[in-house]
Structure formats: C-alpha cells, structure tokens
Amino acid sequence: MSSPSAPLPAVEIRKLVARGFSEMYGRELPEYNRFIVPVKASNLEQLERRPDPHVSREALMEEKHGAIRVPGAHEMRIVTRIFAVMGMVPVEFYDMTILGEKSLPMIATAFRPTDRSVEESAFRMFCSMLHIDSIPPQLREEVLAELEKNRRLYPKFSPELLTMLDRAEHDGGLDADDARKFAASVVDALSMHKDKVVNFALYAKLRRISDPLADIVLESPVLNHLTPRALDIEDAVDQLNAAGIPMQTVIQGPPIREDGVQVQLNQIARIAAGEDVFVTLDPAVLAAFERDPASIARLKNDAPRLELQKGEKVADYMARIEAALATHPIVIIQHKARFGEIEARGVALTREGEASYNAYGIESEADPAAKKTKVEKFNQKYPKTDRQLHDAGWAYYTYQATDSGRSRREHGAARRADLNALLDAGDVALVPQTYHDFLPFSAAAIFRANLTEGSQGIGGAGQDASENRWLLEKAMGKTIADRHDLHRHDREESLRRVCAELNLLPPD
Ligand code: OOG
Ligand code: NI
C-alpha cells in the first residue's frame, strides 16, 4: 500500500488534467458536445466492424490532443513547467513563419510523453508562441503593451497554481489531493474568461492580419481545441457532414490509402462557431471596466450583437463593427478561435521515409489537378506494407518475440540474430511506432480553418528557422527533443529485449 501522500505518477496527473479539459470544453462550448457525437458513433461502428484488441470502447474517445497559443516567454516558461508535472516534454519544432503564403506569426512545439506511459494516456499539447517579429513593426509596441496589461490585470495562472508548481518541482511530484487541485487550477487557467471588454482599435488591426493574432491579445493562453481520435477519419468526416457540422473540406496529411498502411498523421478541423466578445472604442469605458467591471454591466446588457455573415470579408466585418460603435459604447462581436478537430495517427516515418514522401510534393501543392496526379503516383509507388516500410528503413517499428519464436528459443551459446530470417519465419513481429507528433503544413491548415475571409496574413518573409528554435527553447528553458532520437531509442530497446528473450546476440 502506498501512503496517502506518496506522489502520484505523472501519467495519472496527465489523465486528471485531460479529463478536466474535456469537461470544461464541453461546458464552455456546447457545440463541442454536439461535435463528438458523430465521431463517437463512427468509432464504435468501426470498432464493431474491425475489432482491435488494443482499443477498448472506453479508451476510444480519450486519446486527444489539445492546443494553446501563448503570448510570450513568461507564459511559455510556466506552461513548460506545468506540462513537465504531467510527464510531457517539448518534442519537435514547428516554424509557422516560414511556410510561404501560409505563414502565421507563430513558432511551435508539442508537449508529449516520451516514455511508455504514452500507452496509458497519449494526451499531447500543441503549443505555439507569438513570434513578435512577424507582425508589422508599427504594431509591435502596442501589442507588447497590451500583453503586459493583460498580465497585470487578468493573470491567467493563479498564485495557488504557481505554489503547487513549486511544490511539485521541489518534492518530485504531487500527492493525490494536490494533483486534483493542480488539475482544477490548470483547467481554470486555460479556460476563457468571457466577461472582458476589449479595446477594439487594436483588436481590429490584428484581426485584419490574422485571427490568431487577435486571439492572443484578447486572452491567452486558452485551450483552443481538443482532438479526439477517429478510427476511420473519412467515415468520421462523412458522419460529421451528415450531422451538419461545418468541417474543413480537406483532410490534412498524407493520402489515405485503401491498400496500404497509413503513415504519419491525418487531421481535419471543425470550423469555429464563433463566440461572443464585448468590444469598445471608448477609453472611458475601458477604464471603467478596469476599475470596476460591475460598473458597466448595464452597457453590456444593452450592447447590440453583430454576427459575422457567411462569406463576409474581415475588412467589411471590422468596418460594420466600427460603424455600430459610433452609436453604441459596447458591441458584441463574434470571435473565431475555439474549434474542434479529429485525428488519425499512422506509423512514424524515418528521415528517409519522410524525405521520400515529401519528394512527392503533395502537401505544398495548391493546384487540385496537379495534387491528384501526385497522390496517384504516391499510391502506386510508396511502400504499402509494414514489412516493406521496415525493410526500406522508411518507418519506425519495435520488435516483439512471437509464441513460435519463444518456442524455438535456443539454449547454449547465443548466435547472432538474423532479423530478416526471424521476421520471415514469424518468430519476431513488427509493431509500428505511432507518429506522436505534428506536421507544420497540416498545422498551418488547421490554424487557417478559422481565419476570417480576406485576412492579410504575414507574408512568407522567411526567417531563420534555427534562430526561431533557439527563441522558443530560451523561452521554455528547455531544449526541444528530436522525435527520431526517441523512435530510434525505442527500436533499439525492443531489439535488445527480443534478443534476450530468444537467447540471441543483437544483430550487427
Ligand atoms: C493550433 C493548430 C495546429 C494541429 O493539430 O496541427 C494544431 C491552433 O490553432 O492553435 O493543433
Ligand atoms: Ni490540433
């Protein structure tokens, strides 16, 4: 029996926080609850059709990732510490500022477990930080001043949460009681506090450029989506469409193959429904709100609501709001940030496998006809089976001794393992290593799902990616792990295990 104050394993804290996120998100965004109904239905049907001993009905909807957008180094450092307590570290760097015309003013990483606890809870957090140099120079000072004001007046992280973080780091974990409190504080920190009145002068300038920019200055970090897994992502999309849920039109990531194993990651976003936000152009109203929020309750009550029309350009919407603000001190507008997404994860590619996939140029191809040709070529040529991908050295696998392998275990002096022969004989089986990371082009497309039409963007200025990686690492106080190192480590470890089990010397 462990004593009641023994530290809880990090994976248990991760589960608590992930569960808390689901509850909060469903509560704050009722459309999220509607969104997951068809996804669940699809998953249950798929599981019935193709039973999988590794997937339980209960765990089916649990494997999720979330995403947050962080305004600066101060917050980045705190979330890095929070995720460490949850057994998650930054893996891979995604520079969203170097994606040509798809660029966004963000640099990103994803926090995730890197040990075997991933099998118990694979919850990950895609985390992007504002890249201040990507926004027009004349706006930088104003943005930084607003972010400073937010930190002062509307701190996201409670003193209790920061104290618990210190304690967790000092004691090497949290006991069950503290872990529950910690989870509740983390969930509260990343929920949205909707009563704020926003300075529309700055908000409009930023939203014309890019919705995520306006979002960050409005309030951040906020959990901005949660992503359940879809066993068959095409079927889930069909069911979502049939239920009238507004989805993106294209599933991101490598082509979906009927006759080949799926590689890397596929994902698709639900379009944000839009949430009410109070805005004003009147400094006196802002000042009154900052002094005493209750003092402007009546103005908020009387505020007219201006919805974004279908297909309306951002400049027109911003102009309409500005006109309304000429006669009303406060107006309610629709802010597009929080949404939904589903994902399906395949086998992780090695550098070579990834390079040969990238050489097809599928994800960067904008022209539909050209894209179709490239997809066909990929479908014809790219290795289709686990064994082919393994033998080409294009995807990561671990090895498992089979019953037949164990029954043939030799005693006496160990021979050197011949991996190919063992696989041919069925004495060792390949277990695909899941792709646990993200894809920069796909991520940009997910971000872009919620750009209001006509956003200017930041252009593809093209920065120095290594400089940006360093910027993010400096903010976190941690280096970003390389997914290839992690996959190789798991492969080597499994090989050692299998060889020991079968009394063989590791292959050369
Ligand atoms: C993050 C978008 C990227 C993914 O799954 O690739 C992402 C965001 O919109 O903040 O979550
Ligand atoms: Ni996502």
Side-chain angles (χ1 to χ4, degrees):
M1 278 291 287
S2 57
S3 74
S5 61
L8 215 54
V11 59
E12 296 304 326
I13 304 181
R14 182 157 78 245
K15 285 188 203 162
L16 279 177
V17 176
R19 229 171 285 146
F21 281 151
S22 290
E23 281 163 22
M24 174 273 278
Y25 209 59
R27 198 172 54 244
E28 292 203 353
L29 261 90
E31 78 259 17
Y32 179 70
N33 287 335
R34 285 193 293 277
F35 166 76
I36 56 177
V37 172
V39 182
K40 202 170 197 162
S42 164
N43 280 348
L44 288 174
E45 277 172 37
Q46 293 304 321
L47 194 59
E48 220 143 87
R49 206 168 298 164
R50 279 187 288 261
D52 179 342
H54 301 295
V55 182
S56 75
R57 285 170 69 100
E58 295 70 40
L60 200 53
M61 294 299 288
E62 250 170 36
E63 196 184 81
K64 286 172 178 156
H65 78 252
I68 54 173
R69 301 161 177 177
V70 174
H74 171 73
E75 292 79 6
M76 198 68 207
R77 181 68 63 104
I78 296 174
V79 299
T80 303
R81 295 172 60 204
I82 290 175
F83 295 134
V85 173
M86 295 162 63
M88 298 151 81
V89 297
V91 182
E92 294 290 295
F93 174 63
Y94 309 100
D95 194 334
M96 318 300 283
T97 69
I98 52 164
L99 302 176
E101 58 179 25
K102 298 205 162 85
S103 295
L104 294 149
M106 320 294 294
I107 51 179
T109 184
F111 292 85
R112 68 159 172 99
T114 56
D115 59 9
R116 298 189 74 169
S117 75
V118 70
E119 287 157 28
E120 261 188 84
S121 164
F123 189 77
R124 319 156 176 91
M125 188 66 92
F126 186 92
C127 187
S128 51
M129 184 175 86
L130 174 63
H131 185 255
I132 196 80
D133 286 349
S134 288
I135 62 180
Q138 69 276 17
L139 277 175
R140 275 176 217 160
E141 287 310 311
E142 207 178 338
V143 166
L144 289 172
E146 185 77 5
L147 292 175
E148 256 330 296
K149 190 171 99 179
N150 285 349
R151 281 181 193 117
R152 199 165 26 88
L153 295 178
Y154 318 103
K156 294 288 298 178
F157 306 104
S158 66
E160 298 77 47
L161 174 56
L162 298 176
T163 307
M164 263 185 290
L165 257 185
D166 287 340
R167 187 160 352 126
E169 285 165 354
H170 181 264
D171 299 350
L174 294 169
D175 67 20
D177 240 19
D178 276 349
R180 266 193 301 278
K181 287 184 204 142
F182 175 80
S185 313
V186 172
V187 170
D188 182 56
L190 297 183
S191 60
M192 198 168 155
H193 303 97
K194 292 217 258 188
D195 62 343
K196 197 178 158 192
V197 178
V198 179
N199 167 11
F200 185 69
L202 178 60
Y203 179 94
K205 280 186 229 168
L206 299 177
R207 187 156 169 185
R208 282 192 184 99
I209 299 171
S210 186
D211 290 68
L213 209 49
D215 185 43
I216 280 196
V217 175
L218 178 77
E219 181 182 342
S220 60
V222 162
L223 183 71
N224 91 326
H225 63 277
L226 270 185
T227 305
R229 166 188 186 190
L231 283 183
D232 180 329
I233 196 165
E234 286 179 319
D235 182 71
V237 169
D238 288 345
Q239 300 221 19
L240 284 159
N241 283 331
I245 310 250
M247 299 294 290
Q248 276 181 308
T249 48
V250 180
I251 297 175
Q252 300 302 322
I256 294 176
R257 313 195 280 178
E258 291 299 323
D259 60 345
V261 295
Q262 221 37 53
V263 302
Q264 308 281 73
L265 169 68
N266 291 112
Q267 51 190 159
I268 183 166
R270 184 219 133 103
I271 313 291
E275 292 175 76
D276 290 358
V277 163
F278 298 100
V279 298
T280 186
L281 278 172
D282 185 345
V285 172
L286 279 177
F289 177 73
E290 280 157 22
R291 250 190 340 266
D292 173 18
S295 67
I296 56 156
R298 198 184 49 78
L299 292 182
K300 278 175 152 181
N301 258 338
D302 295 343
R305 198 159 166 277
L306 260 65
E307 283 201 20
L308 176 67
Q309 305 298 315
K310 212 174 149 55
E312 186 174 25
K313 296 266 191 295
V314 67
D316 297 333
Y317 186 41
M318 295 299 105
R320 211 150 53 79
I321 297 165
E322 215 170 289
L325 284 168
T327 47
H328 297 85
I330 295 181
V331 167
I332 300 170
I333 69 163
Q334 265 192 318
H335 177 68
K336 295 259 235 164
R338 297 196 290 181
F339 60 101
E341 182 198 25
I342 50 176
E343 65 172 36
R345 290 179 180 269
V347 65
L349 296 179
T350 61
R351 281 190 210 286
E352 296 75 24
E354 198 169 31
S356 38
Y357 165 63
N358 288 339
Y360 289 90
I362 293 171
E363 309 209 10
S364 50
E365 181 56 72
D367 176 58
K371 188 166 185 148
K372 193 158 169 265
T373 315
K374 289 178 173 175
V375 168
E376 278 164 10
K377 213 156 133 204
F378 170 81
N379 284 339
Q380 275 163 16
K381 297 220 171 120
Y382 206 78
K384 290 193 166 64
T385 66
D386 286 320
R387 185 63 196 274
Q388 287 165 349
L389 283 163
H390 168 267
D391 291 358
W394 282 9
Y396 290 109
Y397 293 86
T398 56
Y399 305 98
Q400 223 168 43
T402 62
D403 287 344
S404 88
R406 273 188 290 267
S407 73
R408 267 204 279 269
R409 181 183 199 277
E410 290 179 37
H411 300 276
R415 285 184 298 113
R416 198 158 291 288
D418 176 345
L419 202 50
N420 270 324
L422 289 164
L423 289 168
D424 287 345
D427 290 346
V428 168
L430 293 174
V431 181
Q433 292 193 34
T434 302
Y435 187 71
H436 286 299
D437 300 290
F438 293 82
L439 300 165
F441 269 106
S442 300
I446 300 296
F447 266 109
R448 297 180 73 82
N450 293 302
L451 294 189
T452 316
E453 284 194 36
S455 311
Q456 286 157 24
I458 59 157
Q463 323 272 331
D464 175 358
S466 59
E467 170 104 352
N468 287 344
R469 170 193 281 261
W470 178 81
L471 253 181
L472 191 61
E473 289 183 332
K474 191 165 73 117
M476 293 188 290
K478 235 183 197 170
T479 49
I480 298 172
D482 177 336
R483 74 176 185 93
H484 297 284
D485 290 341
L486 300 167
H487 286 304
R488 271 197 299 264
H489 170 268
D490 289 352
R491 181 175 64 195
E492 297 310 316
E493 198 186 62
S494 77
L495 199 52
R496 268 197 301 277
R497 221 174 22 241
V498 165
C499 287
E501 229 180 315
L502 300 185
N503 188 31
L504 294 167
L505 296 172
D508 296 319

